[in-house]
Amino acid sequence: MQRLVSIVLVFIAYVSTAALAGIDVPLSPPKGVKLNDLIPLASWDKQFKITDGKDRGRIVPLTLHRDKAKEGQWNLVFGDYAGIRMHNDSRHGLVMDRLDLLKSRSYIVYEPSLPILTPDITSGGTVRRESSFKMFDIETEKLKRTGRVMHVVKQVSPSRFDTPAGPIDGYFIEIDHRMDMQFAQLDMTLGLGCRLDDGPVFGSGHYTLTKLGIFTATKTAAAALAKVNNTSLHQDP
C-alpha cells in the first residue's frame, strides 16, 4: 500500500504544501485569470526534476497529448510513474476519468468522473467535489478495491517558484485530496504551480496514510521544471 500511495502522490502533486523551498508568500487573489490560462489544453513535452522524495534528483518527462482514439480526451503522463485520462467540460472544468498507476500495474476509474480544477477556480471560494472510484489490475482487469474520494481546491494565489530552471512567476493552487478505502484512509495536501499560458512548472505534496484507524505513515514529494523549453507547449493541428 505504501508503494501505491507514493506513486499516486508523486503524480497528483505534479496534476501541496509549500514543501519546495523558494515559494514566496502568496499575494492578493488573482483577477481575470481563467482555468485555461493556467492549464492550457495543448501538447506538452516538459522535463521535471524530482526535488524531494525517494527519487530525488531524477529527471522525469511530463507530457500531455490528445487521445487520438477518444474524441475530446487528453492523456497526461508523468514518466513511468502514472498517467491520467481527462477532458475539459464546459460546466465542470478539467475532469479526470482514469488514473493509471504504472509501477503498481493498476488503474483507477472514477464514477462519476472527478472534476479536479473547475472553471471558477480563481473565484476565491473553496470548491469541493466528490466521487466513487474502483481500482483494477491492468493486466487481469480484476477489481482490487473500491472507495470514495473528496477533492477540495482551497485557494489560488500569485507566487514565485524557485525551480532548477530558475525563478518562475506564476500561480499556486492549494488542494486537499482524500481517499477513503476499506481499512485505510489517505489524506493529501497538494500544491500545483502554473505559469500563465504554459501550464505546470512545479508540484509538491504531503500525505498521511492511516490504516485501521490506528497506524499512520507520512511522506513528502516535490518536482519542478528542470529547464525552460520555449517549444515545450504547442497547439495540436
Side-chain angles (χ1 to χ4, degrees), residues 52-182:
D52 186 24
K54 176 178 176 292
D55 293 332
R56 184 173 182 176
R58 185 183 181 193
I59 302 297
V60 182
L62 173 68
T63 63
L64 175 68
H65 295 285
R66 192 187 301 273
D67 190 328
K68 296 180 180 179
K70 297 183 71 68
E71 181 67 25
Q73 299 282 349
W74 292 78
N75 293 321
L76 176 66
V77 181
F78 187 53
D80 58 356
Y81 291 101
I84 279 181
R85 189 178 70 197
M86 60 187 180
H87 68 276
N88 188 42
D89 184 282
S90 59
R91 187 162 62 96
H92 297 293
L94 198 58
V95 178
M96 180 163 59
D97 304 301
R98 169 171 164 160
L99 171 63
D100 284 76
L101 308 170
L102 302 177
K103 288 185 178 293
S104 69
R105 298 179 181 178
S106 302
Y107 70 91
I108 294 174
V109 175
Y110 298 90
E111 300 175 343
S113 299
L114 179 66
I116 51 177
L117 294 173
T118 58
D120 54 353
I121 187 173
T122 59
S123 65
T126 298
V127 179
R128 300 174 183 269
R129 295 292 185 269
E130 295 186 47
S131 181
S132 297
F133 70 85
K134 294 180 180 179
M135 181 183 293
F136 298 89
D137 184 280
I138 286 180
E139 296 178 354
T140 66
E141 300 288 332
K142 181 179 179 180
L143 179 65
K144 299 174 71 172
R145 59 177 58 87
T146 62
R148 287 196 61 80
V149 58
M150 176 180 288
H151 187 85
V152 182
V153 179
K154 299 170 62 177
Q155 184 177 349
V156 180
S157 304
S159 297
R160 172 168 289 185
F161 308 100
D162 184 11
T163 76
I168 297 175
D169 291 326
Y171 292 84
F172 185 64
I173 305 170
E174 298 180 54
I175 298 169
D176 283 342
H177 191 89
R178 172 174 171 172
M179 300 178 73
D180 291 316
M181 301 160 279
Q182 188 176 22

